[in-house]
Amino acid sequence: MNNTELVDDCLFCKIIKGNVPSYTVFENDDVKAFLDISQVTKGHTLLIPKKHLTNIFDYSQADAQRFLQYIPEVAQAIKKSDPNIKGLNICVNNGEVAGQVVMHSHIHLIPRYGDEDAISVPHVNNADDYDETRYQEVADAIKDNL
Ligand code: 5GP
Ligand code: ZN
């Protein structure tokens, strides 16, 4: 890791430097995975890059390859850690409006034990508001930027 990639006043950079303690589950030169303090469910883990990227809007393709490749490995280890884990939500909040509180990119890995787990993954269906034309317009607007 190159320490110049970290910033002083960031909570997760402090966790990377060891200035704030954490329960580490995986670490190498590129990423660190540690328990989220809130434990939405038991095993709730955060995977973070060891580079101060604010959120997904900061990632280059090289950053994505370097940092996000570890998601399956950590997810599979969480699943194996408890036979009662039936599924896993992977969530990322990008920007304040999307619920991001800590402004250092992090992937939430949240094990699901059953329907009673209190997680607010929105199951909203607005399909009635879309016809073929509107779907195509929305898809094209995104496609034009790739
Ligand atoms: P966000 O809302 O930004 O996606 O999530 C930030 C997460 O960081 C929250 O789930 C919160 O519980 C977690 N968090 C905040 N402070 C700490 C801390 O000091 N240590 C750990 N391990 N997690 C933290
Ligand atoms: Zn940071």
Side-chain angles (χ1 to χ4, degrees), residues 6-143:
L6 302 176
V7 304
D8 285 340
D9 63 347
C10 167
L11 174 62
F12 287 175
C13 284
K14 286 180 188 161
I15 285 181
I16 290 165
K17 284 187 268 188
N19 296 343
V20 170
S22 64
Y23 297 92
T24 305
V25 303
F26 176 76
E27 184 160 23
N28 64 14
D29 284 347
D30 292 329
V31 295
K32 181 177 175 85
F34 56 98
L35 296 185
D36 189 298
I37 205 155
S38 71
Q39 292 294 283
V40 167
T41 63
K42 183 175 70 69
H44 177 187
T45 297
L46 299 175
L47 176 67
I48 65 173
K50 286 190 172 178
K51 176 182 179 183
H52 184 84
L53 300 171
T54 301
N55 54 36
I56 198 69
F57 304 120
D58 268 356
Y59 277 71
S60 65
Q61 198 173 59
D63 288 330
Q65 281 166 357
R66 182 174 159 202
F67 302 125
L68 302 182
Q69 62 172 308
Y70 298 99
I71 294 172
E73 209 172 319
V74 177
Q76 288 159 22
I78 294 170
K79 172 89 164 56
K80 285 187 198 149
S81 72
D82 186 331
N84 294 315
I85 294 175
K86 310 240 170 25
L88 183 102
N89 289 107
I90 298 175
C91 333
V92 188
N93 302 324
N94 296 286
E96 259 178 64
V97 74
Q100 185 177 7
V101 173
V102 178
M103 292 298 159
H104 179 128
S105 169
H106 52 280
I107 318 295
H108 291 265
L109 297 105
I110 306 175
R112 300 299 302 257
Y113 295 84
D115 294 337
E116 69 284 2
D117 294 345
I119 295 178
S120 55
V121 176
H123 289 113
V124 175
N125 187 349
N126 290 318
D128 288 347
D129 298 338
Y130 289 77
D131 59 14
E132 214 173 298
T133 310
R134 191 167 180 213
Y135 277 123
Q136 196 59 60
E137 277 169 8
V138 175
D140 287 345
I142 298 168
K143 197 157 58 172

